[in-house]
Amino acid sequence: MDQPLLEVAVRGPGDVAGADEGGADRLHLADDGDRSPEPATVSTVCRETDLPVFCLLRLTDSWTTTGGELTRLAGLAEDYLGCGAAGVSFGFLDGDLEVDAEVCAHLAEQLPGVPWTFHQAIDASLDAERAWARVVDLLGLVAVRSAGSPRGLAVGYDDLLALASRSPRVAGLLMPGEGLLGEHVPWFVRAGVRSFHLGPQARPGGTAKAWVDAGHVRSWRLLVDDAVARVRGADAG
């Protein structure tokens, strides 16, 4: 994928206008506790926008899951899709903090043809390169949201950029997220990254008490588009 993609995290319908007007390409919907949203909220958000909406599938604080919970998540996903969602976001680790590819594949198979993103659970894995090797071939996967460290890009930036620079497959799926700064964007783009996720960066003061702001989103839209255009121009020259 060479076209830039800007995903904006939203909590409800009040965030939609700012993300939409600011130039977001996709919305990522979770509740205030960063858990699965209520289907009614999904329905309302989807009615407010023509942008694709991806919904988080996560019920607890744990990165692991059980069979019963997995069944509930599959049911929730079906509800979300019925409400108009275009995709979902999930990710699981096993007891050894390795990516649980088997569980992820099982859930993906329950949702044939549905695009999904692997969320920041990958940053809690013990070995980043091994984690990525387990993720890249999963059915339906369109992006992996990562900051390279559980403590965000303030800690994980260098290692994540190096990994993307070494591996075009990683770069093609990587969607930098937590702790993303404007100064990171041109370097990620040069490494081949084209997808970016905005959370607090899209809100005035970086606080969840503020709605997503169109001006904040637009500044990131321009930044990402300009970085991609510069790389294209350099390649053409």
Side-chain angles (χ1 to χ4, degrees), residues 4-24:
L5 184 143
L6 188 63
E7 179 181 86
V8 175
V10 298
R11 302 298 190 190
D15 287 324
V16 171
D20 212 332
E21 293 167 14

Side-chain angles (χ1 to χ4, degrees), residues 48 51 59 74 118 122 127 137 163 170 176 182-183 186 201 207 224 227:
E48 292 284 326
L51 295 175
L59 298 176
F118 195 106
I122 196 167
D127 184 290
D137 292 320
L163 180 58
V170 169
E183 64 200 55
Q201 303 97 326
T207 172
V224 170

Side-chain angles (χ1 to χ4, degrees), residues 1-3 5 7 26 54 115-120 122 131-147 160 163-165 167-177 188 191-197:
M1 179 188 70
D2 196 49
Q3 287 298 115
L5 184 143
E7 179 181 86
R26 186 166 72 207
F54 277 35
W116 63 283
T117 62
F118 195 106
H119 59 52
Q120 67 268 31
I122 196 167
W132 275 91
R134 289 176 176 234
V135 161
V136 291
D137 292 320
L138 288 170
L139 180 71
L141 183 72
V142 295
V144 178
R145 194 165 100 231
S146 174
L160 190 59
L163 180 58
S165 299
S167 171
R169 296 191 74 194
V170 169
L173 285 170
L174 175 60
M175 183 166 56
F188 276 126
V193 176
R194 294 293 182 270
S195 299
F196 296 89
H197 175 90

Side-chain angles (χ1 to χ4, degrees), residues 157-237:
Y157 168 70
D158 289 334
D159 288 341
L160 190 59
L161 179 62
L163 180 58
S165 299
R166 290 195 303 271
S167 171
R169 296 191 74 194
V170 169
L173 285 170
L174 175 60
M175 183 166 56
E178 185 180 355
L180 182 68
L181 301 176
E183 64 200 55
H184 296 153
V185 171
W187 294 99
F188 276 126
V189 168
R190 288 172 198 168
V193 176
R194 294 293 182 270
S195 299
F196 296 89
H197 175 90
L198 300 182
Q201 303 97 326
R203 301 172 187 271
T207 172
K209 295 179 181 179
W211 299 122
V212 168
D213 178 76
H216 282 59
V217 176
R218 191 173 298 112
S219 66
W220 283 91
R221 172 85 272 167
L222 294 172
L223 175 64
V224 170
D225 288 351
D226 180 66
V228 172
R230 286 175 182 271
V231 166
R232 287 177 180 160
D235 290 343

